[in-house]
Amino acid sequence: MKKKVVFLTGAGMSVESGFKTFRGNDGLWENYPVEQIASHEGWERDPKLVTEFYNKLRRKLWDAQPCEGHKLIAEMEKDYDVTVLTQNVDNLHEKAGSSKVIHLHGELTKVCSSIDPYDPRYIQELTPENSDVKPGTKAGDGSLLRPFIVFFGESVPMLEPAAKEASEADIFVIIGTSLVVYPAAGLVQFVPKGAPIYLIDPNPVNAGGSVIQIQKGASEGMKELLTKI
């Protein structure tokens, strides 16, 4: 039986692919204040601006390519039972070939109802050929189509299945997240006692004595990880 490796990835995972996320220290996402384009209040205030922002970001995503770190995680499926829990809204893990990815903060490639974002009847997958949403476009329930993104202040519906995966991990690996973004950061508490926890991040992180830090970027850190497990 294959060992189960669970990854928790954040903004630092995609930075080598040239794709920024909104969890930066400066409170900006592509030079916009996050409150303006990643909060429910911002959406209510100016849905046209928010829709156009995500259209632009989506166009950038289609051109982004997985970094070596993404690819090494996907390749691990040959020898391990791998699950990726990601705070990122990009699809770079899927592009690299990972088959089991749980998106905690939503998916940029999808749009949904603004009344009930998780109603599966109204979630639409966009494609590079059909990428832009015209402001004012409505979902099947008559509400405006909005990005399938967990805005600040909203609940994280995928947290429960993510916690279940973490609770079954033989090895838990954190890449590119500072572990201050809750509730996702709390997933570490579900890791079984005795299971090794690795943290890959180029910056020093005060993560506690039980966490083994590899102080490198995502790709170089993954290479080192593979020599340790």
Side-chain angles (χ1 to χ4, degrees):
M1 190 170 166
K2 291 181 178 180
K3 277 190 174 181
K4 185 178 181 72
V5 184
V6 178
F7 287 88
L8 171 62
T9 67
M13 186 76 232
S14 297
V15 73
E16 291 176 31
S17 298
F19 199 79
K20 293 180 182 176
T21 72
F22 56 89
R23 299 294 178 183
N25 294 329
D26 55 7
L28 297 175
W29 192 8
E30 297 287 334
N31 299 316
Y32 284 85
V34 290
E35 297 80 10
Q36 196 173 13
I37 42 83
S39 72
H40 187 74
E41 293 75 18
W43 166 257
E44 291 282 335
R45 192 181 307 115
D46 195 342
K48 181 174 183 286
L49 172 72
V50 175
T51 298
E52 289 176 342
F53 171 81
Y54 287 93
N55 283 343
K56 178 183 172 186
L57 199 63
R58 210 175 288 117
R59 290 195 294 269
K60 187 175 180 181
L61 176 60
W62 301 128
D63 294 328
Q65 295 302 316
C67 70
E68 191 173 2
H70 288 108
K71 293 173 185 174
L72 289 172
I73 290 172
E75 287 170 11
M76 285 182 69
E77 292 189 12
K78 296 172 189 169
D79 302 307
Y80 298 91
D81 175 8
V82 179
T83 299
V84 179
L85 317 174
T86 187
Q87 296 171 179
N88 299 334
V89 297
D90 59 59
N91 64 350
L92 294 172
H93 282 295
E94 288 91 341
K95 271 189 181 181
S98 287
S99 61
K100 192 172 182 184
V101 184
I102 294 176
H103 285 269
L104 294 164
H105 294 156
E107 298 177 64
L108 182 56
T109 58
K110 295 178 180 179
V111 287
C112 59
S113 159
S114 50
I115 293 175
D116 186 358
Y118 279 83
D119 188 326
R121 294 175 296 174
Y122 308 120
I123 296 173
Q124 298 179 28
E125 178 92 39
L126 301 175
T127 65
E129 299 74 33
N130 181 31
S131 177
D132 284 8
V133 175
K134 186 177 178 182
T137 304
K138 293 186 177 177
D141 60 359
S143 71
L144 287 178
L145 268 184
R146 61 162 263 187
F148 187 60
I149 301 291
V150 178
F151 289 148
F152 280 98
E154 293 182 334
S155 62
V156 182
M158 296 308 293
L159 195 63
E160 193 172 327
K164 183 178 185 297
E165 295 291 338
S167 73
E168 297 170 355
D170 295 305
I171 302 167
F172 194 78
V173 185
I174 305 152
I175 305 180
T177 178
S178 62
L179 288 183
V180 296
V181 180
Y182 281 85
L187 290 169
V188 178
Q189 298 168 10
F190 292 91
V191 178
K193 192 174 180 180
I197 300 174
Y198 293 90
L199 171 66
I200 298 172
D201 197 293
N203 303 307
V205 177
N206 183 16
S210 61
V211 177
I212 305 156
Q213 182 170 8
I214 298 173
Q215 203 170 329
K216 293 182 177 178
S219 296
E220 290 303 312
M222 273 300 300
K223 288 179 191 174
E224 184 171 327
L225 175 74
L226 293 172
T227 69
K228 292 179 179 291
I229 61 174

